[in-house]
Amino acid sequence: MFTGLKTRLLSLITIYLMIMFTTITVVAYGFYSEEIKDQSDKYFLEKINGTVEQLDNLIYRMDRVSSQLLASTTLQKMFFEASKAAYAEQNYFEHNIDDRKIAQDILWTFNSPKTSVENIHIYTNASYLGLRYNPSVAEVKAYALTNEVVYEAGRSYFLRGAHTDGMDQVNSLKVISLIRPFVATNYGFMDIGVIEVVEKYQDVIDACILGQNEQSLGMAVLDYNGQVIYASDEWIRTTSDEIFEVTRDNEQGHLLTLTMEAQDYRMAYRSLEEYPWYVVLLQSDEAFRQPFRSFMSQLLLGIGALSVLVFVAILLTVGSVTKPIQGLIGEIDGYNLREEPLMAHYQIKEVQTLQSAFIRLMKRLDDSVERLLVARETELNLRVMTLQSQINPHFLYNALNAISSVADDEGDEKVPLMCYQLSELFRYTSSDSEASTTLADEINHIQTYMDFAKWRYEEMFSYSLVCNGDMAKIKVPKLVLQPLVENAFTHAFKKIYPPYNLEISCHVNAKNWCFEVKDNGGGFEAKELKSLLMRMRHIDRILDEQLSYDMIKTDDKAILNIYIRLKLKYKHRLNISLGNRDEKSGAWFRIEVADGLVLEGGQDGD
């Protein structure tokens, strides 16, 4: 199985890379798994601490405003008067407009841009003072009844979670409230009302919101009774009881494990400094381990890439060992019997011996190849003659149809001229056994053919012929251009209604000559054009690589017959192009032969 030197070396290298790959993976797993876990734990707790800090700042701001209002002696005096029996059924500030203006100025003073809150309510059973609104006594009493709170022992205020501000008659935004009793410290610590500082619930959401790279986390804020103040996902809200139990049974500030609905979660919580609310952060164990899995994937990818680079480097080294043999194989593959071999000198004796033996063998084959080429050339000439003979039946058929049509329509006056033209056409096609003629003769033959065609088509057919240069000096294969004109009648014009038109041009200069024919027929179909171009390339390969000529198939297509004949004569100097004139009508065919074609005495460069 492993008989080659290169195969054995590469097998040993592959085994080595597999061992190295496994070793690095195991070591990296043991070394980095704990470190990545610690980093994840740290990020987990930092996220909670940041949220707690923002919520503490929010509550501190609300408490600061309420404390400043509580300490105002002016407000204490006004609400002390409002709490008297005389104002049990009426709003003190509706009957004391000056006090109301002073009190509201105080509210706006304490609600400065530095400690701005959404709203402030100070009220008794009937009297009310706020930033913007002036409710009726009935509305104040109703609000006081629905807003009753029970203060925890030892706590000076109460935080109410998400709700709608009952005194806001314009907006329906969710808010949170800090509510504390208004105690008149200057009047024997008497309860004279309630102070409520209102802030947008959106501030709580902003403090708890998770970023795009934290979508796998879940966050909740619970009060001291386990009620949900905020939940980032609905499933956290539905499992809040289980989460609250963990906060009661475990110490805060540590990473905990929680199992819910048959799935493991990592959890941490911390209470606020300002109020007994708890911030809880959860993440599924699978998502918690994702950074480690990502690291391992990147590590494996990196090791794989490194292994490929190492393998390539070693492959190049092994290649340098086997390079002399590969070089000899390349020289043998590129050997050309018609050229003098240019063999490199090898330092390895065995390779040099093989090279010498190969050269001797090629020289013995050279004579046999020459004889084979002569036979193949003869075979090709016979095939070319066969291709040329395929043109005559079409031509004869068209000629007889033309004479018959004119004889019926015009009598005998035109027949002699037609017969003369026809005899000239037959004379040109069968005058002798020569396979070549001049470009001038070929053009004259084409003109005779088109003049003869006009007898049949009359006004339905027209042509133009433009020629420049000395065409008598250019040797071309006989009947290599006329089939292009005949092709228009046999194919292109059958797809359209008359009139028919041909445009023919031929130009000769000192370096090249070109011939072009255009028709107004139906044009090439896309599939047909693509097939022709592919088959022309196939013929190029057969001729260039000297493959068997039996592989050449033309299917009696005039264009392919012409291409083969011209290619054999002009080889790489020939350029043939074809296509459609536009989307509506017409095809064109162009032959161009270049590079010093015209020689003195009328011979070409072959």
Side-chain angles (χ1 to χ4, degrees), residues 413-476:
E413 294 180 3
K414 300 178 182 177
V415 171
L417 179 57
M418 294 176 62
C419 290
Y420 170 76
Q421 292 173 339
L422 181 59
S423 66
E424 288 297 310
L425 294 174
F426 279 139
R427 181 190 62 76
Y428 183 79
T429 57
S430 59
S431 59
D432 51 43
S433 59
E434 292 293 328
S436 64
T437 184
T438 66
L439 186 57
D441 290 340
E442 190 75 1
I443 293 298
N444 290 334
H445 177 67
I446 289 174
Q447 185 168 11
T448 301
Y449 179 86
M450 290 190 297
D451 288 339
F452 191 81
K454 283 187 68 66
W455 292 116
R456 177 182 179 183
Y457 295 100
E458 296 181 342
E459 299 304 323
M460 293 187 298
F461 170 65
S462 62
Y463 72 89
S464 64
L465 180 61
V466 178
C467 297
N468 296 313
D470 189 356
M471 294 180 290
K473 291 184 178 181
I474 306 300
K475 289 287 189 178
V476 296

Side-chain angles (χ1 to χ4, degrees), residues 20 30 81 96-97 139 162 178 232 244 296 344 470:
M20 182 182 70
E81 294 295 329
N96 297 275
I97 302 302
E139 289 174 332
L178 185 148
S232 61
F244 186 62
M296 290 304 299
D470 189 356

Side-chain angles (χ1 to χ4, degrees), residues 94-131:
E94 289 183 355
H95 298 276
N96 297 275
I97 302 302
D98 292 338
D99 284 356
R100 174 183 170 183
K101 183 177 181 305
I102 294 171
Q104 284 194 321
D105 288 342
I106 294 173
L107 295 187
W108 284 108
T109 300
F110 288 139
N111 191 36
S112 64
K114 202 170 191 178
T115 56
S116 177
V117 295
E118 182 68 16
N119 212 339
I120 297 173
H121 308 308
I122 306 177
Y123 53 89
T124 62
N125 288 334
S127 298
Y128 171 86
L129 179 65
L131 289 176

Side-chain angles (χ1 to χ4, degrees), residues 565-590:
R565 297 177 67 195
L566 292 173
K567 190 70 178 180
L568 287 171
K569 183 173 181 62
Y570 300 117
K571 299 182 176 58
H572 64 277
R573 292 177 298 172
L574 172 69
N575 180 31
I576 286 184
S577 54
L578 68 159
N580 290 323
R581 301 177 68 176
D582 53 48
E583 296 181 356
K584 296 182 179 180
S585 66
W588 60 271
F589 189 95
R590 180 183 177 87

Side-chain angles (χ1 to χ4, degrees), residues 13 59 87 105 112 120 128 142 166 186 206 220 239 287 423 488 583 599:
I13 293 168
I59 297 172
Y87 294 101
D105 288 342
S112 64
I120 297 173
Y128 171 86
N186 295 328
D206 292 343
T239 56
S423 66
E583 296 181 356
L599 299 179

Side-chain angles (χ1 to χ4, degrees), residues 158-164 174-177 201 223 228-229 277:
F158 169 78
L159 277 180
R160 185 179 179 187
H163 64 283
T164 302
K174 282 189 174 183
V175 296
I176 62 171
S177 298
Y201 180 65
D223 67 10
V228 178
I229 304 299
W277 280 2

